[in-house]
Amino acid sequence: MKTDFLVIGSGAAGLAFALKAATYGHVTIVTKGEMSECNTNYAQGGICSVTYAPDSFEKHIHDTLICGAGKCNPEAVELVVRRAPELIKDLIAWGTQFDKTPDGRFELNREGGHSEHRILHHEDLTGAEIERALIESVRRHPNITVLEHHFAIDLLTQHHLGEFVTRHTRGLACFGAYVLNEKTNEIETMLSKFTIVATGGCGNVYSTTSNPVVATGDGIAMCHRAKAITENMEFIQFHPTTLYNPSEKPNFLITEAMRGFGAILRLQNGEEFMDKYHPMKSLAPRDVVARAIYREMTKRGEEFVYLDVRHKDPDSIRSHFPNIYEKCLSIGIDITRDLIPVTPAAHYCCGGVKVDLNSHTSIKRLYALGETACTGLHGANRLASNSLIEAVVYADQAAKHAATLIDKVEIQEGIPDWDFEGTQHTEEMLMIIQSKREMQSIMSNYVGIVRSNLSLHRAMRRLSILYEETEGLYSMTKPNRELCELRNMIAIAYLVIKQGEELKESVGCHYNNDYPKA
């Protein structure tokens, strides 16, 4: 199969890029599940944009830089903040409906780390609303082909060409991907002028996460194997408040907008505690809140704290958070009268594949978007609701950049088809499941909210055994989604640990007990 733009992933970043790029050429989207199976669909809180005074670009930039703990790229912050209102208009044009006040103004929320109300939202299902609108627009577009249940295994680079071509090609480039058609179980060679990796996050490298099961870091792992530069992988953001319900995976998210609405964090004895950790109390940046909850739970040997919104008007609670209200009610918790048990969970990767201001990677013709990319916007800790606007801003940047090059590049011929069949082992699935659990346990126990040099070293030693076993299995086995996902998650775990070992300080989401903050 040949296409101008091969988009891997179907979240907000990939779909927004597809809609922009379809003006310049044919777009093929491959996604390993249904289109709506993505992190975007789970984003409750909202999307950032300076909309009304007294808010300003300068305030949004300041909040982002402060939250990023000195690790942000100021150019990236400036770009996203200043282009946000324009891209919000695009989302609305594609059919997204944001909540408004009776007088027709956008109803804006405030979340942790924000100095002003600047979060546009659709009830407490903002990501799902954006995804719905994008999917409908993509399906209507005549220049976009969507292939669901297609799992990208690896990117195609010079490594897949003959020695002469490899030696005489200047600079590493990407020519498409090997993709597993899950319906036919065949591995297809998909060639493209440009490849856009937008596969979302990697929360499932941990035992407890708010991410859907598809978030296995596939894009970052593929780019890493292709020798693209990755950075900031140690900055894994744990969302402070996911619903404590041990029988359920993934953890159900309790949006930060609820704390912006006035909800208060309390210990199991009813005591408030965030005033001990930060002047913004329950609305402190996420890394601060997650660590505070972790310390209080560890100190008391408890597995959760409470979020208390009972003091707010019941009708207002139900109208602002209908999805959370119904979910909690389904397990016997009426949030208008009862405390909500919450616990931190792996939520967002602030790092990823390093890209420039056009979302171009260190490999020619290869772009990374959304949570797969490290744009520099988030630094060491993501400001709440900055991720969705980052996705659509950089999708636009990438589409415009690729459009200037599309007439200068050709589809690369001579890429060999996948020719290794492998065998199927009866114990294969059991080994994959067990290795996945071991990997998640290693990451949760040793590379969590609080780490140390010893815990990182121990995690790396244990992970190396899983890596060798998994690569051995991969080398002899017919590729399947479960094995490829495990391989990708182990690669992600390696990057998180390795880059964590290299950072000799505690900053943002990376807190190392051997380098305590001043």
Side-chain angles (χ1 to χ4, degrees):
M1 177 178 289
K2 299 176 182 179
T3 186
D4 293 312
F5 305 97
L6 176 62
V7 177
I8 304 172
S10 60
L15 298 187
F17 175 90
L19 288 167
K20 295 281 186 172
T23 302
Y24 310 108
H26 186 265
V27 180
T28 300
I29 299 171
V30 297
T31 182
K32 66 180 177 179
E34 303 291 331
M35 285 182 74
S36 60
E37 291 181 53
C38 59
N39 275 6
T40 297
N41 215 35
Y42 285 70
Q44 292 178 352
I47 184 168
C48 285
S49 179
V50 173
T51 306
Y52 306 124
D55 199 8
S56 66
F57 290 146
E58 289 71 26
K59 288 181 180 180
H60 190 181
I61 289 168
H62 177 266
D63 292 346
T64 300
L65 293 172
I66 292 297
C67 192
K71 299 294 184 179
C72 299
N73 175 357
E75 288 184 287
V77 176
E78 186 98 10
L79 173 71
V80 171
V81 169
R82 293 191 180 277
R83 292 210 65 205
E86 174 188 349
L87 273 299
I88 291 293
K89 291 178 181 177
D90 284 345
L91 289 174
I92 294 170
W94 288 325
T96 305
Q97 298 178 18
F98 295 113
D99 289 351
K100 294 185 177 181
T101 61
D103 62 0
R105 290 164 59 91
F106 289 113
E107 183 183 69
L108 303 177
N109 284 338
R110 183 184 170 203
E111 297 180 349
H114 290 272
S115 58
E116 298 287 351
H117 288 70
R118 65 170 68 99
I119 316 297
L120 291 91
H121 63 97
H122 178 90
E123 297 178 343
D124 55 352
L125 291 168
T126 310
E129 170 61 14
I130 291 173
E131 184 74 4
R132 176 202 63 76
L134 290 173
I135 287 175
E136 290 180 4
S137 294
V138 163
R139 290 203 183 279
R140 288 194 302 264
H141 204 293
N143 221 22
I144 301 176
T145 299
V146 179
L147 300 175
E148 296 175 307
H149 302 287
H150 280 66
F151 182 90
I153 296 176
D154 265 322
L155 300 174
L156 301 171
T157 65
Q158 280 94 333
H159 302 109
H160 299 92
L161 296 170
E163 182 182 347
F164 177 84
V165 177
T166 301
R167 284 192 287 111
H168 290 78
T169 303
R170 300 173 67 181
L172 198 59
C174 181
F175 311 122
Y178 286 129
V179 179
L180 173 64
N181 183 332
E182 294 186 64
K183 294 181 180 178
T184 66
N185 209 31
E186 297 294 321
I187 296 175
E188 302 170 358
T189 305
M190 295 192 175
L191 304 179
S192 59
K193 291 185 176 182
F194 303 99
T195 303
I196 297 83
V197 183
T199 60
C202 54
N204 283 284
V205 299
Y206 289 89
S207 300
T208 307
T209 179
S210 63
N211 293 185
V213 294
V214 296
T216 51
D218 305 317
I220 300 172
M222 282 191 292
C223 291
H224 169 64
R225 286 194 294 269
K227 309 304 182 187
I229 297 171
T230 61
E231 65 178 6
N232 290 0
M233 289 297 296
E234 68 272 33
F235 299 128
I236 300 293
Q237 185 178 77
F238 284 74
H239 198 287
T241 54
T242 66
L243 182 63
Y244 178 74
N245 187 20
S247 63
E248 181 180 18
K249 286 191 176 184
N251 282 34
F252 182 82
L253 192 69
I254 306 295
T255 175
E256 196 157 324
M258 185 168 280
R259 280 177 281 137
F261 180 72
I264 298 168
L265 285 163
R266 298 185 185 278
L267 300 174
Q268 290 189 27
N269 64 10
E271 176 189 341
E272 289 186 51
F273 61 92
M274 278 306 302
D275 56 337
K276 295 186 294 185
Y277 295 95
H278 198 277
M280 294 181 75
K281 300 181 181 179
S282 293
L283 274 175
R286 286 180 178 176
D287 64 317
V288 176
V289 180
R291 268 196 312 277
I293 293 173
Y294 170 83
R295 284 171 171 160
E296 294 295 336
M297 291 193 307
T298 303
K299 190 189 306 181
R300 290 167 172 74
E302 297 170 348
E303 295 184 329
F304 62 88
V305 297
Y306 283 120
L307 193 61
D308 184 6
V309 73
R310 298 172 300 173
H311 52 285
K312 304 294 286 187
D313 175 63
D315 290 336
S316 186
I317 293 171
R318 284 188 285 264
S319 66
H320 277 83
F321 309 106
N323 184 46
I324 294 174
Y325 176 77
E326 291 297 333
K327 173 63 182 180
C328 290
L329 205 59
S330 72
I331 60 171
I333 299 170
D334 182 344
I335 65 175
T336 66
R337 297 185 298 178
D338 303 323
L339 294 165
I340 310 168
V342 294
T343 191
H347 183 61
Y348 190 87
C349 180
C350 297
V353 183
K354 185 177 182 179
V355 297
D356 61 19
L357 294 177
N358 294 312
S359 234
H360 195 266
T361 71
S362 56
I363 297 177
K364 294 178 181 178
R365 298 163 59 165
L366 178 66
Y367 297 84
L369 294 171
E371 201 171 345
T372 301
C374 181
T375 66
L377 171 69
H378 307 303
N381 181 42
R382 177 174 70 101
L383 182 67
S385 291
N386 259 356
S387 52
L388 284 174
I389 195 62
E390 174 197 37
V392 293
V393 166
Y394 272 88
D396 185 69
Q397 293 286 116
K400 287 177 177 176
H401 184 260
T404 66
L405 303 173
I406 192 167
D407 294 330
K408 301 175 185 178
V409 299
E410 300 292 337
I411 298 288
Q412 176 66 54
E413 304 291 348
I415 302 286
D417 289 335
W418 188 277
D419 61 357
F420 177 69
E421 288 299 321
T423 57
Q424 202 77 31
H425 296 270
T426 54
E427 296 179 314
E428 178 188 335
M429 280 308 300
L430 180 62
M431 288 187 284
I432 291 171
I433 292 170
Q434 184 58 34
S435 293
K436 179 180 176 181
R437 288 173 178 165
E438 286 183 41
M439 180 268 306
Q440 291 173 328
S441 177
I442 289 168
M443 294 301 288
S444 294
N445 290 329
Y446 300 126
V447 200
I449 296 173
V450 175
R451 308 155 184 182
S452 69
N453 290 336
L454 177 61
S455 72
L456 291 172
H457 179 65
R458 181 171 291 187
M460 186 65 88
R461 283 195 305 171
R462 281 155 173 72
L463 187 72
S464 65
I465 298 171
L466 289 177
Y467 169 78
E468 291 173 4
E469 292 174 347
T470 303
E471 289 300 304
L473 185 61
Y474 183 80
S475 69
M476 67 177 73
T477 303
K478 186 173 184 178
N480 59 67
R481 173 173 162 175
E482 290 78 12
L483 178 56
C484 290
E485 285 181 330
L486 172 63
R487 188 172 180 239
N488 291 337
M489 286 189 284
I490 289 174
I492 296 299
Y494 164 79
L495 290 171
V496 174
I497 298 168
K498 180 175 181 291
Q499 294 180 18
E501 288 180 321
E502 292 171 350
L503 184 63
K504 306 300 184 182
E505 62 176 322
S506 286
V507 57
C509 298
H510 175 77
Y511 192 91
N512 186 325
N513 276 328
D514 292 302
Y515 309 104
K517 291 183 178 180

